[in-house]
Amino acid sequence: MRFSNWQNKFTAIWLILLTVVGLALAFAWLKKDIHIQTNIFSLLPETQQNPELAKTQQYMSDQLNQKVFVVLESQDQQAIEHATQLFETQLKKSALWQPLKPQLDLEQFSKQLYLHRAGLLSPQDRQLLQQAVQQQDFEALTEQSLMQLMSVGMPITAESLQQDPLLLFPRYMLNVATQASSDVELEHGFATIHDEQNVSRLLVLELTQSPYNIDYQQLVTAWIAQMQPQLNDLNVQSHWTGTILFSNFGTQSAQKEISTIGLGSTLGLIVLVWFGFRSFRPLLTEFIAVSTGSLLAFAITHLIFGEIHLMTLVFGASLIGVCVDFSFYFMAMQSQHRKLDGFNVLRPLLPSLFMGLMTTVVAYIFLSFTPFPAFRQIAVFSIVGLVAAWITSVLLLPRLPSLNAQPAIQCLGWIGQARQWFQQQHKMRYGFIVGIIAMGSVSILFLQPNDDIRNLQSMDAKLKQQDQYIRSLFGQQQSSDYFVVQASSSTELEQQESQLLLKLQQLQQQGAIESFQALGQWIPSLAQQQQNVQLLQQIPETALKKYAATMGLKFADVQRWQQQLQQQPLLTEQVFQQHPLAFLQPSSTERLVIVNGVQQTELLQQLESANIHFQQPVDTLSTAFAQHRQQAQHLLIYALLALAIGLGAVYGLGSVLPLVLPVSLALLSTFAVQAWLGVEINLFSIMGTFLIIGIGVDYAIFYRHGHDHPQVVGMALFLCMMSTLLGFGLLSLSDTYAIHCFGLTVLLGVIFSFIYATLFTPADQKHIVDLPHRSIT
């Protein structure tokens, strides 16, 4: 007999399903097949661009994401050396890091450059040579070498004069060093800055795992914390920055916010449930409903997407704010019919409860149409979670005895009384509606968007300060703006880059950019090196004899040097494999040019061509963010239309306006208030409106087609509103601006939805729920 009715059969099936899912998740967790993603930018859609450019962008991202930049500072040079040795020792002992490598072995690299010096000329020497060859006057070149020979800072040996009699190579190196930086020098292969007060040295640490691995983040953070006291003992101050540090802060912040939301929701619900029903039993039943909903939502979301993002769990933790709406409504109604069996109370309420669920589900279905992976994942999680929690509540709550909601109904009776009075004031009601539409329409004209992608992640002020400080000293390699130069051959690639660098030099002189970095600054193209060699070979014998006599050199040595120029190897990118800028050539047909301090983006965009592309990943993503916000706004309108059509089909055309008008006015008022407060909207603000639609239409449905006692409905919906505010309103306290905007939007939208549904939704006599033997005894 236990399974003779539908509720027992469905309950048995549901329990079996939950057990299977729970065991499957436990097994996957033990096998470590559960993947929780923390990379905030993995939530973003892939930019629609050339696949090769997208690959290059990922390449550039990996170059920085897998590194931690550390600046050591001390007044004592010896302390800096000891600190560097400490890092070398500790990194070798730890599996968390790659061994510490000098950014450049200067001695070895200089030797390599010297072996390939034949075609290397500074721009000044190249210009002097061109003029000398044209005018057959080499006096200026002789004077340049004499000045260098007499310079105290330029030690010249007899061997160097024999191999480079015109002293071209030292001037080339001096020019390159000046272009690279006027302050930074290499000591033991590490970038170092000496000023009047401190010695600063940059160390680049390389990770061994993904910076978005939560366990790895914690280990690296602990390792850094252990290093700090040891550096302090050496009187060395350290500054740290890197993707893993920001990602770890975001992870910790998200986990803290999950705890805050959970604690706040729990404490608030304890008070709310006791006030409403004089019992803590609903806490247990709602915990069961939310747990089963979250269990199934986690399983289905992970199955579909292959992973689940921490941000999805943050929003999932707020599911309790929605699923209790149905429970509160049912328990309030059941409290008025204590003599009836729970399922007899449920049966006439079920259509309204089901439609309330469907309105929220439809809103999330439309949200899943966005190209944002974040919203698709959150939408799937919410849909599955809400449906599962609803089923659990429907199967569980009617089995339990009714609770005493009468004190709360009497305490909140003024809501029903206010509703009844306002419903009778037809002119006032219509006047309020017109006023809200007029004021809201004017106010939203002043609403401003903020689509900056950097708002997605909470930023620790100290970490941001450290990052900015390191950038100010050694930040040239950390710029996110760059050119991609592509060609079909290495020769064409060098020509394309050379032409681009000339234009960038002009923009730098105009103040449009601060600086730029390119391999072409160090490596002249092969064609230019060959031209340089030809220029040197065109120096006539008479000029070389005169030069040798002036410099006190043997003419035979100078002549031998000129004759051997053609046999000497030219400089290629292979020599630069160990140079810090080697990453600027991902392949033989592609080079990157980093641009720092962009002031006028449009001037750089004008330099683009079929083979040259200017990339600004942050700005590009922000633009995509804005485009998807606009698409979500369109989806919002479509969702309202779909709900109107669906409600009309179920309840009749006459019910469409009363059910849709309150939530539409709530959305208008929400954005109007945000405009008054100066709050900028973003994609997460629009996401919050989908939740408002589902909840707001629920309120209208319960009022229009609920019980004929407005005091009971008013009390139940007031509890629903408060529970939603506890679940989602707390998000407005988030440190992450995007989540703060979402929470604030829901906070305002739910309040307005409740008020407008209470005041503006008239009862529908055709669909009133009529429960027999209404009695509270």
PDB file of all heavy atoms in Angstrom, residues 496-528:
ATOM      1  N   GLN A 496      58.637  44.223 -42.796  1.00  0.00           N
ATOM      2  CA  GLN A 496      57.396  44.743 -42.228  1.00  0.00           C
ATOM      3  C   GLN A 496      57.646  45.351 -40.846  1.00  0.00           C
ATOM      4  O   GLN A 496      57.150  46.443 -40.529  1.00  0.00           O
ATOM      5  CB  GLN A 496      56.359  43.628 -42.127  1.00  0.00           C
ATOM      6  CG  GLN A 496      55.874  43.067 -43.448  1.00  0.00           C
ATOM      7  CD  GLN A 496      54.821  43.970 -44.100  1.00  0.00           C
ATOM      8  OE1 GLN A 496      54.400  44.963 -43.538  1.00  0.00           O
ATOM      9  NE2 GLN A 496      54.434  43.623 -45.308  1.00  0.00           N
ATOM     10  N   GLU A 497      58.419  44.646 -40.031  1.00  0.00           N
ATOM     11  CA  GLU A 497      58.691  45.149 -38.685  1.00  0.00           C
ATOM     12  C   GLU A 497      59.525  46.429 -38.742  1.00  0.00           C
ATOM     13  O   GLU A 497      59.273  47.383 -37.993  1.00  0.00           O
ATOM     14  CB  GLU A 497      59.427  44.080 -37.873  1.00  0.00           C
ATOM     15  CG  GLU A 497      59.640  44.499 -36.419  1.00  0.00           C
ATOM     16  CD  GLU A 497      60.646  43.625 -35.697  1.00  0.00           C
ATOM     17  OE1 GLU A 497      61.674  43.273 -36.300  1.00  0.00           O
ATOM     18  OE2 GLU A 497      60.405  43.303 -34.526  1.00  0.00           O
ATOM     19  N   SER A 498      60.509  46.463 -39.636  1.00  0.00           N
ATOM     20  CA  SER A 498      61.359  47.651 -39.759  1.00  0.00           C
ATOM     21  C   SER A 498      60.541  48.887 -40.119  1.00  0.00           C
ATOM     22  O   SER A 498      60.726  49.964 -39.547  1.00  0.00           O
ATOM     23  CB  SER A 498      62.450  47.393 -40.810  1.00  0.00           C
ATOM     24  OG  SER A 498      63.249  48.541 -40.971  1.00  0.00           O
ATOM     25  N   GLN A 499      59.614  48.739 -41.046  1.00  0.00           N
ATOM     26  CA  GLN A 499      58.757  49.867 -41.434  1.00  0.00           C
ATOM     27  C   GLN A 499      57.859  50.302 -40.272  1.00  0.00           C
ATOM     28  O   GLN A 499      57.637  51.497 -40.057  1.00  0.00           O
ATOM     29  CB  GLN A 499      57.901  49.472 -42.641  1.00  0.00           C
ATOM     30  CG  GLN A 499      58.713  49.208 -43.908  1.00  0.00           C
ATOM     31  CD  GLN A 499      57.864  48.639 -45.038  1.00  0.00           C
ATOM     32  OE1 GLN A 499      56.636  48.523 -44.910  1.00  0.00           O
ATOM     33  NE2 GLN A 499      58.508  48.244 -46.129  1.00  0.00           N
ATOM     34  N   LEU A 500      57.360  49.324 -39.505  1.00  0.00           N
ATOM     35  CA  LEU A 500      56.513  49.648 -38.363  1.00  0.00           C
ATOM     36  C   LEU A 500      57.304  50.405 -37.301  1.00  0.00           C
ATOM     37  O   LEU A 500      56.805  51.386 -36.715  1.00  0.00           O
ATOM     38  CB  LEU A 500      55.926  48.361 -37.772  1.00  0.00           C
ATOM     39  CG  LEU A 500      55.099  48.526 -36.491  1.00  0.00           C
ATOM     40  CD1 LEU A 500      53.870  49.392 -36.747  1.00  0.00           C
ATOM     41  CD2 LEU A 500      54.680  47.161 -35.943  1.00  0.00           C
ATOM     42  N   LEU A 501      58.536  49.988 -37.053  1.00  0.00           N
ATOM     43  CA  LEU A 501      59.341  50.638 -36.013  1.00  0.00           C
ATOM     44  C   LEU A 501      59.639  52.095 -36.367  1.00  0.00           C
ATOM     45  O   LEU A 501      59.670  52.960 -35.478  1.00  0.00           O
ATOM     46  CB  LEU A 501      60.650  49.872 -35.795  1.00  0.00           C
ATOM     47  CG  LEU A 501      60.509  48.442 -35.264  1.00  0.00           C
ATOM     48  CD1 LEU A 501      61.872  47.846 -34.952  1.00  0.00           C
ATOM     49  CD2 LEU A 501      59.630  48.411 -34.030  1.00  0.00           C
ATOM     50  N   LEU A 502      59.854  52.378 -37.632  1.00  0.00           N
ATOM     51  CA  LEU A 502      60.085  53.770 -38.037  1.00  0.00           C
ATOM     52  C   LEU A 502      58.858  54.630 -37.712  1.00  0.00           C
ATOM     53  O   LEU A 502      58.990  55.767 -37.232  1.00  0.00           O
ATOM     54  CB  LEU A 502      60.408  53.833 -39.541  1.00  0.00           C
ATOM     55  CG  LEU A 502      61.755  53.245 -39.979  1.00  0.00           C
ATOM     56  CD1 LEU A 502      61.871  53.269 -41.498  1.00  0.00           C
ATOM     57  CD2 LEU A 502      62.907  54.025 -39.345  1.00  0.00           C
ATOM     58  N   LYS A 503      57.677  54.105 -37.976  1.00  0.00           N
ATOM     59  CA  LYS A 503      56.446  54.857 -37.693  1.00  0.00           C
ATOM     60  C   LYS A 503      56.229  55.002 -36.187  1.00  0.00           C
ATOM     61  O   LYS A 503      55.760  56.050 -35.723  1.00  0.00           O
ATOM     62  CB  LYS A 503      55.257  54.143 -38.335  1.00  0.00           C
ATOM     63  CG  LYS A 503      55.334  54.086 -39.860  1.00  0.00           C
ATOM     64  CD  LYS A 503      54.191  53.264 -40.458  1.00  0.00           C
ATOM     65  CE  LYS A 503      54.303  53.179 -41.971  1.00  0.00           C
ATOM     66  NZ  LYS A 503      53.247  52.313 -42.567  1.00  0.00           N
ATOM     67  N   LEU A 504      56.574  53.956 -35.419  1.00  0.00           N
ATOM     68  CA  LEU A 504      56.419  54.045 -33.970  1.00  0.00           C
ATOM     69  C   LEU A 504      57.393  55.056 -33.369  1.00  0.00           C
ATOM     70  O   LEU A 504      57.056  55.735 -32.387  1.00  0.00           O
ATOM     71  CB  LEU A 504      56.636  52.668 -33.331  1.00  0.00           C
ATOM     72  CG  LEU A 504      55.535  51.631 -33.588  1.00  0.00           C
ATOM     73  CD1 LEU A 504      55.895  50.294 -32.937  1.00  0.00           C
ATOM     74  CD2 LEU A 504      54.189  52.110 -33.044  1.00  0.00           C
ATOM     75  N   GLN A 505      58.580  55.161 -33.940  1.00  0.00           N
ATOM     76  CA  GLN A 505      59.528  56.175 -33.472  1.00  0.00           C
ATOM     77  C   GLN A 505      58.953  57.571 -33.659  1.00  0.00           C
ATOM     78  O   GLN A 505      59.096  58.446 -32.788  1.00  0.00           O
ATOM     79  CB  GLN A 505      60.854  56.034 -34.224  1.00  0.00           C
ATOM     80  CG  GLN A 505      61.665  54.814 -33.824  1.00  0.00           C
ATOM     81  CD  GLN A 505      62.904  54.623 -34.687  1.00  0.00           C
ATOM     82  OE1 GLN A 505      63.142  55.383 -35.624  1.00  0.00           O
ATOM     83  NE2 GLN A 505      63.683  53.595 -34.386  1.00  0.00           N
ATOM     84  N   GLN A 506      58.267  57.792 -34.752  1.00  0.00           N
ATOM     85  CA  GLN A 506      57.644  59.090 -35.000  1.00  0.00           C
ATOM     86  C   GLN A 506      56.525  59.353 -33.989  1.00  0.00           C
ATOM     87  O   GLN A 506      56.411  60.463 -33.447  1.00  0.00           O
ATOM     88  CB  GLN A 506      57.095  59.144 -36.425  1.00  0.00           C
ATOM     89  CG  GLN A 506      58.168  59.042 -37.510  1.00  0.00           C
ATOM     90  CD  GLN A 506      57.574  58.958 -38.907  1.00  0.00           C
ATOM     91  OE1 GLN A 506      56.346  58.936 -39.077  1.00  0.00           O
ATOM     92  NE2 GLN A 506      58.434  58.892 -39.915  1.00  0.00           N
ATOM     93  N   LEU A 507      55.716  58.334 -33.723  1.00  0.00           N
ATOM     94  CA  LEU A 507      54.639  58.496 -32.743  1.00  0.00           C
ATOM     95  C   LEU A 507      55.191  58.723 -31.339  1.00  0.00           C
ATOM     96  O   LEU A 507      54.598  59.470 -30.544  1.00  0.00           O
ATOM     97  CB  LEU A 507      53.735  57.259 -32.749  1.00  0.00           C
ATOM     98  CG  LEU A 507      52.898  57.043 -34.018  1.00  0.00           C
ATOM     99  CD1 LEU A 507      52.047  55.785 -33.877  1.00  0.00           C
ATOM    100  CD2 LEU A 507      51.998  58.241 -34.286  1.00  0.00           C
ATOM    101  N   GLN A 508      56.326  58.092 -31.043  1.00  0.00           N
ATOM    102  CA  GLN A 508      56.945  58.294 -29.739  1.00  0.00           C
ATOM    103  C   GLN A 508      57.413  59.743 -29.586  1.00  0.00           C
ATOM    104  O   GLN A 508      57.257  60.362 -28.528  1.00  0.00           O
ATOM    105  CB  GLN A 508      58.120  57.333 -29.561  1.00  0.00           C
ATOM    106  CG  GLN A 508      58.769  57.380 -28.186  1.00  0.00           C
ATOM    107  CD  GLN A 508      59.895  56.373 -28.047  1.00  0.00           C
ATOM    108  OE1 GLN A 508      60.296  55.727 -29.017  1.00  0.00           O
ATOM    109  NE2 GLN A 508      60.414  56.221 -26.848  1.00  0.00           N
ATOM    110  N   GLN A 509      57.976  60.297 -30.646  1.00  0.00           N
ATOM    111  CA  GLN A 509      58.406  61.696 -30.623  1.00  0.00           C
ATOM    112  C   GLN A 509      57.216  62.643 -30.490  1.00  0.00           C
ATOM    113  O   GLN A 509      57.332  63.706 -29.883  1.00  0.00           O
ATOM    114  CB  GLN A 509      59.199  62.012 -31.891  1.00  0.00           C
ATOM    115  CG  GLN A 509      60.517  61.245 -31.998  1.00  0.00           C
ATOM    116  CD  GLN A 509      61.186  61.400 -33.356  1.00  0.00           C
ATOM    117  OE1 GLN A 509      60.664  62.081 -34.250  1.00  0.00           O
ATOM    118  NE2 GLN A 509      62.348  60.787 -33.522  1.00  0.00           N
ATOM    119  N   GLN A 510      56.061  62.232 -31.031  1.00  0.00           N
ATOM    120  CA  GLN A 510      54.860  63.074 -30.950  1.00  0.00           C
ATOM    121  C   GLN A 510      54.141  62.930 -29.608  1.00  0.00           C
ATOM    122  O   GLN A 510      53.203  63.695 -29.332  1.00  0.00           O
ATOM    123  CB  GLN A 510      53.887  62.681 -32.071  1.00  0.00           C
ATOM    124  CG  GLN A 510      54.432  62.918 -33.475  1.00  0.00           C
ATOM    125  CD  GLN A 510      53.529  62.346 -34.553  1.00  0.00           C
ATOM    126  OE1 GLN A 510      52.404  61.932 -34.279  1.00  0.00           O
ATOM    127  NE2 GLN A 510      54.026  62.304 -35.790  1.00  0.00           N
ATOM    128  N   GLY A 511      54.556  61.949 -28.782  1.00  0.00           N
ATOM    129  CA  GLY A 511      53.917  61.750 -27.486  1.00  0.00           C
ATOM    130  C   GLY A 511      52.698  60.854 -27.531  1.00  0.00           C
ATOM    131  O   GLY A 511      51.973  60.746 -26.531  1.00  0.00           O
ATOM    132  N   ALA A 512      52.449  60.192 -28.665  1.00  0.00           N
ATOM    133  CA  ALA A 512      51.297  59.296 -28.768  1.00  0.00           C
ATOM    134  C   ALA A 512      51.524  58.005 -27.985  1.00  0.00           C
ATOM    135  O   ALA A 512      50.565  57.365 -27.547  1.00  0.00           O
ATOM    136  CB  ALA A 512      51.006  58.972 -30.228  1.00  0.00           C
ATOM    137  N   ILE A 513      52.791  57.603 -27.815  1.00  0.00           N
ATOM    138  CA  ILE A 513      53.144  56.439 -26.995  1.00  0.00           C
ATOM    139  C   ILE A 513      54.368  56.804 -26.166  1.00  0.00           C
ATOM    140  O   ILE A 513      55.101  57.749 -26.501  1.00  0.00           O
ATOM    141  CB  ILE A 513      53.438  55.193 -27.858  1.00  0.00           C
ATOM    142  CG1 ILE A 513      54.611  55.457 -28.818  1.00  0.00           C
ATOM    143  CG2 ILE A 513      52.209  54.761 -28.635  1.00  0.00           C
ATOM    144  CD1 ILE A 513      55.054  54.239 -29.596  1.00  0.00           C
ATOM    145  N   GLU A 514      54.586  56.064 -25.092  1.00  0.00           N
ATOM    146  CA  GLU A 514      55.754  56.323 -24.260  1.00  0.00           C
ATOM    147  C   GLU A 514      56.992  55.602 -24.784  1.00  0.00           C
ATOM    148  O   GLU A 514      58.069  56.174 -24.870  1.00  0.00           O
ATOM    149  CB  GLU A 514      55.470  55.891 -22.818  1.00  0.00           C
ATOM    150  CG  GLU A 514      54.428  56.757 -22.121  1.00  0.00           C
ATOM    151  CD  GLU A 514      54.183  56.311 -20.692  1.00  0.00           C
ATOM    152  OE1 GLU A 514      54.868  55.358 -20.246  1.00  0.00           O
ATOM    153  OE2 GLU A 514      53.313  56.893 -20.031  1.00  0.00           O
ATOM    154  N   SER A 515      56.830  54.333 -25.127  1.00  0.00           N
ATOM    155  CA  SER A 515      57.962  53.544 -25.624  1.00  0.00           C
ATOM    156  C   SER A 515      57.434  52.294 -26.301  1.00  0.00           C
ATOM    157  O   SER A 515      56.229  52.034 -26.314  1.00  0.00           O
ATOM    158  CB  SER A 515      58.892  53.150 -24.467  1.00  0.00           C
ATOM    159  OG  SER A 515      58.204  52.360 -23.525  1.00  0.00           O
ATOM    160  N   PHE A 516      58.344  51.520 -26.866  1.00  0.00           N
ATOM    161  CA  PHE A 516      57.969  50.247 -27.476  1.00  0.00           C
ATOM    162  C   PHE A 516      59.156  49.309 -27.404  1.00  0.00           C
ATOM    163  O   PHE A 516      60.308  49.738 -27.230  1.00  0.00           O
ATOM    164  CB  PHE A 516      57.494  50.436 -28.920  1.00  0.00           C
ATOM    165  CG  PHE A 516      58.511  51.077 -29.837  1.00  0.00           C
ATOM    166  CD1 PHE A 516      59.410  50.307 -30.565  1.00  0.00           C
ATOM    167  CD2 PHE A 516      58.576  52.451 -29.963  1.00  0.00           C
ATOM    168  CE1 PHE A 516      60.342  50.891 -31.402  1.00  0.00           C
ATOM    169  CE2 PHE A 516      59.499  53.055 -30.798  1.00  0.00           C
ATOM    170  CZ  PHE A 516      60.389  52.267 -31.521  1.00  0.00           C
ATOM    171  N   GLN A 517      58.887  48.026 -27.541  1.00  0.00           N
ATOM    172  CA  GLN A 517      59.912  46.990 -27.504  1.00  0.00           C
ATOM    173  C   GLN A 517      59.743  46.070 -28.694  1.00  0.00           C
ATOM    174  O   GLN A 517      58.625  45.624 -28.984  1.00  0.00           O
ATOM    175  CB  GLN A 517      59.830  46.176 -26.219  1.00  0.00           C
ATOM    176  CG  GLN A 517      60.284  46.917 -24.976  1.00  0.00           C
ATOM    177  CD  GLN A 517      60.161  46.046 -23.743  1.00  0.00           C
ATOM    178  OE1 GLN A 517      59.074  45.662 -23.354  1.00  0.00           O
ATOM    179  NE2 GLN A 517      61.278  45.714 -23.136  1.00  0.00           N
ATOM    180  N   ALA A 518      60.848  45.777 -29.351  1.00  0.00           N
ATOM    181  CA  ALA A 518      60.803  44.906 -30.529  1.00  0.00           C
ATOM    182  C   ALA A 518      62.168  44.278 -30.746  1.00  0.00           C
ATOM    183  O   ALA A 518      63.206  44.850 -30.368  1.00  0.00           O
ATOM    184  CB  ALA A 518      60.376  45.695 -31.754  1.00  0.00           C
ATOM    185  N   LEU A 519      62.171  43.101 -31.337  1.00  0.00           N
ATOM    186  CA  LEU A 519      63.448  42.469 -31.688  1.00  0.00           C
ATOM    187  C   LEU A 519      64.204  43.313 -32.702  1.00  0.00           C
ATOM    188  O   LEU A 519      65.428  43.307 -32.733  1.00  0.00           O
ATOM    189  CB  LEU A 519      63.188  41.071 -32.256  1.00  0.00           C
ATOM    190  CG  LEU A 519      62.956  39.948 -31.237  1.00  0.00           C
ATOM    191  CD1 LEU A 519      62.690  38.642 -31.950  1.00  0.00           C
ATOM    192  CD2 LEU A 519      64.135  39.820 -30.293  1.00  0.00           C
ATOM    193  N   GLY A 520      63.455  44.032 -33.549  1.00  0.00           N
ATOM    194  CA  GLY A 520      64.094  44.861 -34.558  1.00  0.00           C
ATOM    195  C   GLY A 520      64.963  45.960 -33.991  1.00  0.00           C
ATOM    196  O   GLY A 520      65.829  46.503 -34.681  1.00  0.00           O
ATOM    197  N   GLN A 521      64.741  46.325 -32.709  1.00  0.00           N
ATOM    198  CA  GLN A 521      65.613  47.305 -32.066  1.00  0.00           C
ATOM    199  C   GLN A 521      66.996  46.717 -31.823  1.00  0.00           C
ATOM    200  O   GLN A 521      67.984  47.451 -31.763  1.00  0.00           O
ATOM    201  CB  GLN A 521      64.998  47.754 -30.737  1.00  0.00           C
ATOM    202  CG  GLN A 521      63.709  48.556 -30.880  1.00  0.00           C
ATOM    203  CD  GLN A 521      63.054  48.807 -29.538  1.00  0.00           C
ATOM    204  OE1 GLN A 521      62.553  47.894 -28.893  1.00  0.00           O
ATOM    205  NE2 GLN A 521      63.063  50.062 -29.115  1.00  0.00           N
ATOM    206  N   TRP A 522      67.045  45.413 -31.658  1.00  0.00           N
ATOM    207  CA  TRP A 522      68.317  44.726 -31.423  1.00  0.00           C
ATOM    208  C   TRP A 522      68.860  44.081 -32.689  1.00  0.00           C
ATOM    209  O   TRP A 522      70.070  44.041 -32.900  1.00  0.00           O
ATOM    210  CB  TRP A 522      68.111  43.632 -30.355  1.00  0.00           C
ATOM    211  CG  TRP A 522      67.958  44.156 -28.967  1.00  0.00           C
ATOM    212  CD1 TRP A 522      66.839  44.672 -28.410  1.00  0.00           C
ATOM    213  CD2 TRP A 522      68.967  44.208 -27.960  1.00  0.00           C
ATOM    214  NE1 TRP A 522      67.078  45.043 -27.123  1.00  0.00           N
ATOM    215  CE2 TRP A 522      68.385  44.766 -26.806  1.00  0.00           C
ATOM    216  CE3 TRP A 522      70.310  43.838 -27.908  1.00  0.00           C
ATOM    217  CZ2 TRP A 522      69.083  44.960 -25.618  1.00  0.00           C
ATOM    218  CZ3 TRP A 522      71.016  44.020 -26.724  1.00  0.00           C
ATOM    219  CH2 TRP A 522      70.406  44.590 -25.603  1.00  0.00           C
ATOM    220  N   ILE A 523      67.964  43.549 -33.484  1.00  0.00           N
ATOM    221  CA  ILE A 523      68.400  42.801 -34.668  1.00  0.00           C
ATOM    222  C   ILE A 523      67.959  43.539 -35.930  1.00  0.00           C
ATOM    223  O   ILE A 523      66.770  43.493 -36.287  1.00  0.00           O
ATOM    224  CB  ILE A 523      67.784  41.378 -34.692  1.00  0.00           C
ATOM    225  CG1 ILE A 523      67.981  40.684 -33.353  1.00  0.00           C
ATOM    226  CG2 ILE A 523      68.400  40.556 -35.810  1.00  0.00           C
ATOM    227  CD1 ILE A 523      67.333  39.323 -33.284  1.00  0.00           C
ATOM    228  N   PRO A 524      68.849  44.215 -36.606  1.00  0.00           N
ATOM    229  CA  PRO A 524      68.474  44.794 -37.909  1.00  0.00           C
ATOM    230  C   PRO A 524      68.129  43.670 -38.882  1.00  0.00           C
ATOM    231  O   PRO A 524      68.605  42.535 -38.747  1.00  0.00           O
ATOM    232  CB  PRO A 524      69.744  45.537 -38.345  1.00  0.00           C
ATOM    233  CG  PRO A 524      70.588  45.669 -37.120  1.00  0.00           C
ATOM    234  CD  PRO A 524      70.248  44.504 -36.252  1.00  0.00           C
ATOM    235  N   SER A 525      67.299  43.955 -39.834  1.00  0.00           N
ATOM    236  CA  SER A 525      66.943  42.944 -40.827  1.00  0.00           C
ATOM    237  C   SER A 525      68.193  42.489 -41.580  1.00  0.00           C
ATOM    238  O   SER A 525      69.198  43.210 -41.664  1.00  0.00           O
ATOM    239  CB  SER A 525      65.922  43.513 -41.804  1.00  0.00           C
ATOM    240  OG  SER A 525      66.495  44.556 -42.569  1.00  0.00           O
ATOM    241  N   LEU A 526      68.116  41.270 -42.124  1.00  0.00           N
ATOM    242  CA  LEU A 526      69.261  40.748 -42.886  1.00  0.00           C
ATOM    243  C   LEU A 526      69.584  41.657 -44.068  1.00  0.00           C
ATOM    244  O   LEU A 526      70.758  41.891 -44.392  1.00  0.00           O
ATOM    245  CB  LEU A 526      68.957  39.329 -43.373  1.00  0.00           C
ATOM    246  CG  LEU A 526      69.003  38.225 -42.314  1.00  0.00           C
ATOM    247  CD1 LEU A 526      68.575  36.898 -42.900  1.00  0.00           C
ATOM    248  CD2 LEU A 526      70.399  38.116 -41.714  1.00  0.00           C
ATOM    249  N   ALA A 527      68.527  42.194 -44.694  1.00  0.00           N
ATOM    250  CA  ALA A 527      68.758  43.098 -45.825  1.00  0.00           C
ATOM    251  C   ALA A 527      69.526  44.339 -45.389  1.00  0.00           C
ATOM    252  O   ALA A 527      70.456  44.797 -46.077  1.00  0.00           O
ATOM    253  CB  ALA A 527      67.418  43.493 -46.448  1.00  0.00           C
ATOM    254  N   GLN A 528      69.146  44.889 -44.226  1.00  0.00           N
ATOM    255  CA  GLN A 528      69.835  46.085 -43.748  1.00  0.00           C
ATOM    256  C   GLN A 528      71.264  45.757 -43.345  1.00  0.00           C
ATOM    257  O   GLN A 528      72.190  46.547 -43.596  1.00  0.00           O
ATOM    258  CB  GLN A 528      69.082  46.674 -42.559  1.00  0.00           C
ATOM    259  CG  GLN A 528      69.691  47.984 -42.058  1.00  0.00           C
ATOM    260  CD  GLN A 528      68.868  48.620 -40.966  1.00  0.00           C
ATOM    261  OE1 GLN A 528      67.659  48.539 -40.987  1.00  0.00           O
ATOM    262  NE2 GLN A 528      69.546  49.240 -40.008  1.00  0.00           N
TER     263      GLN A 528
END
